[in-house]
Amino acid sequence: MSMDLVEVVRSGFRECVHRGSAVALRPDGEPLVEVGAVHGPIFPRSTNKPMQALTLLRNGFEPADDAELAIATASHFGEADHLRLVQRLLDRFGCTEDDLECPPDLPFEEQARARVLAGSDRAQAARRIYMNCSGKHAAMLATCKINDWPTRGYLEVGHPLQQAVLETIADVTGEPETDLGIDGCGLPIVPVSLVNLARAYAAFATAAPGTPERRVADAIRAHPRVISGTDGPDFRVMSATPGLVCKIGADGVHAGALPDGSAFAYKIDDGADRARLPLTLAILQRMGVEWTDEHAELAAPAVLGGGARVGIIRAIPGVL
């Protein structure tokens, strides 16, 4: 059963509560925090992108640089540098935006979105390359080209690429394939438990230098803005926490690990984005991260009233 994890306090009054489940593991893999249903299945959403990127490396994909590997792992904001990386990847393997099978979308970042909407309605402005998963899809097309697999239908569960992804996820999480779903970008998604999702991130964070797992982790560490965007949660948290590898997923999922192998994963039941940073920071504090003013600021976003700070959003004291 999930538990109350994050509260919204306005003028000293608890206005809202966000429930969920969370786990944090010690470097030896033993639990430090277990709250809620951490052994039951959840859809990991985009927290599975490092595992998908690992599949690509295991099947011959060779990125031009760490930034290209990062965009293959990204939930990017559709900013100019993100789009350049995706387009470069498509160009390198003789693909076009029309080959992408993710749905058309608008950039997530506000200014980028405003620019593409200027003079256009949403239907006209939306493009596949703007979709936050387009880097992953471009890298999947590249891997299909390398292996002489069909590029059309690469997101179908029966495609050789997706079969390889399922094998990798089972390998890294230790959980068998069950009850497949379809993620927001159209790719298959496998439910996993929070505890095994955290263990998977620990494996990436502690992998030996030069291994595919370590290459993915190092690309994320080196390019936190590429995998996220301006003021994105992952960018802000990793910028404040050297060595951290983390990735958000839609609908309230987040997972990450430190170089010593301590790791976390959580799911917020209602998917509320505003609960992410307070919960992530509270977990990192329990994991022993050296606390800074930047961490403290991220841990307690303001609740506004009349344009002034009248409260905070915070992890409920004593729950973790």
Side-chain angles (χ1 to χ4, degrees), residues 83 115 189 207 224 242 259 267 288:
L83 303 182
R115 281 193 293 271
I189 187 167
K267 162 69 177 170

Side-chain angles (χ1 to χ4, degrees), residues 67-91:
E68 193 169 272
L69 182 53
I71 201 68
T73 316
S75 298
H76 68 73
F77 279 21
E79 297 171 270
D81 54 338
H82 298 134
L83 303 182
R84 282 194 295 270
L85 283 167
V86 178
Q87 189 61 58
R88 185 184 75 175
L89 182 50
L90 290 170
D91 291 344

Side-chain angles (χ1 to χ4, degrees), residues 99-184:
D99 293 315
L100 297 171
E101 295 184 359
C102 54
D105 204 350
L106 296 174
F108 185 80
E109 198 273 326
E110 289 184 7
Q111 293 184 20
R113 178 182 292 236
R115 281 193 293 271
V116 302
L117 280 174
S120 301
D121 62 26
R122 182 186 179 97
Q124 292 175 321
R127 292 174 55 186
R128 296 181 190 276
I129 200 169
Y130 294 153
M131 202 268 170
N132 75 88
C133 299
S134 65
K136 172 178 69 176
H137 283 252
M140 287 185 170
L141 284 168
T143 306
C144 289
K145 290 269 193 169
I146 290 165
N147 289 279
D148 292 325
W149 294 333
T151 54
R152 188 177 298 276
Y154 67 85
L155 47 59
E156 299 296 331
V157 68
H159 190 282
L161 176 61
Q162 300 312 324
Q163 288 297 301
V165 170
L166 296 178
E167 290 175 9
T168 298
I169 292 174
D171 174 41
V172 175
T173 65
E175 295 194 20
E177 170 196 328
T178 58
D179 301 322
L180 287 179
I182 302 298
D183 209 343

Side-chain angles (χ1 to χ4, degrees), residues 7-302:
E7 62 184 2
V8 181
V9 180
R10 179 183 296 276
S11 303
F13 179 82
R14 179 190 273 189
E15 186 173 36
C16 300
V17 172
H18 299 288
R19 295 176 62 84
S21 301
V23 63
L25 303 177
R26 303 178 193 275
D28 63 3
E30 291 300 309
L32 171 67
V33 172
E34 278 194 8
V35 179
V38 302
H39 296 281
I42 59 110
F43 279 135
R45 306 301 297 270
S46 284
T47 62
N48 68 4
K49 282 179 176 170
M51 292 177 270
Q52 291 168 321
L54 175 61
T55 304
L56 307 185
L57 293 179
R58 286 180 173 181
N59 284 274
F61 174 60
E62 191 57 46
D65 50 33
D66 276 354
E68 193 169 272
L69 182 53
I71 201 68
T73 316
S75 298
H76 68 73
F77 279 21
E79 297 171 270
D81 54 338
H82 298 134
L83 303 182
R84 282 194 295 270
L85 283 167
V86 178
Q87 189 61 58
R88 185 184 75 175
L89 182 50
L90 290 170
D91 291 344
R92 280 212 306 128
F93 289 90
C95 298
T96 70
E97 184 176 346
D98 289 339
D99 293 315
L100 297 171
E101 295 184 359
C102 54
D105 204 350
L106 296 174
F108 185 80
E109 198 273 326
E110 289 184 7
Q111 293 184 20
R113 178 182 292 236
R115 281 193 293 271
V116 302
L117 280 174
S120 301
D121 62 26
R122 182 186 179 97
Q124 292 175 321
R127 292 174 55 186
R128 296 181 190 276
I129 200 169
Y130 294 153
M131 202 268 170
N132 75 88
C133 299
S134 65
K136 172 178 69 176
H137 283 252
M140 287 185 170
L141 284 168
T143 306
C144 289
K145 290 269 193 169
I146 290 165
N147 289 279
D148 292 325
W149 294 333
T151 54
R152 188 177 298 276
Y154 67 85
L155 47 59
E156 299 296 331
V157 68
H159 190 282
L161 176 61
Q162 300 312 324
Q163 288 297 301
V165 170
L166 296 178
E167 290 175 9
T168 298
I169 292 174
D171 174 41
V172 175
T173 65
E175 295 194 20
E177 170 196 328
T178 58
D179 301 322
L180 287 179
I182 302 298
D183 209 343
C185 67
L187 287 166
I189 187 167
V190 186
V192 299
S193 67
L194 289 170
V195 68
N196 282 331
L197 182 60
R199 287 175 179 148
Y201 271 73
F204 279 95
T206 61
T211 61
E213 292 87 347
R214 181 62 172 268
R215 291 179 66 190
V216 172
D218 285 347
I220 293 171
R221 288 175 176 136
H223 298 281
R225 191 181 164 281
V226 170
I227 71 148
S228 181
T230 301
D231 290 331
D234 284 327
F235 172 59
R236 298 178 72 189
V237 174
M238 283 192 282
S239 296
T241 315
L244 176 67
V245 176
C246 67
K247 184 74 189 67
I248 66 168
D251 289 325
V253 185
H254 204 185
L258 294 167
D260 67 357
S262 54
F264 73 89
Y266 66 73
K267 162 69 177 170
I268 300 163
D269 286 356
D270 64 3
D273 284 337
R274 67 180 178 178
R276 287 186 189 277
L277 284 175
L279 185 54
T280 298
L281 271 293
I283 292 171
L284 290 176
Q285 190 172 36
R286 279 297 314 273
M287 289 165 60
V289 165
E290 184 176 351
W291 206 245
T292 66
D293 290 343
E294 188 172 3
H295 287 114
E297 180 182 351
L298 293 172

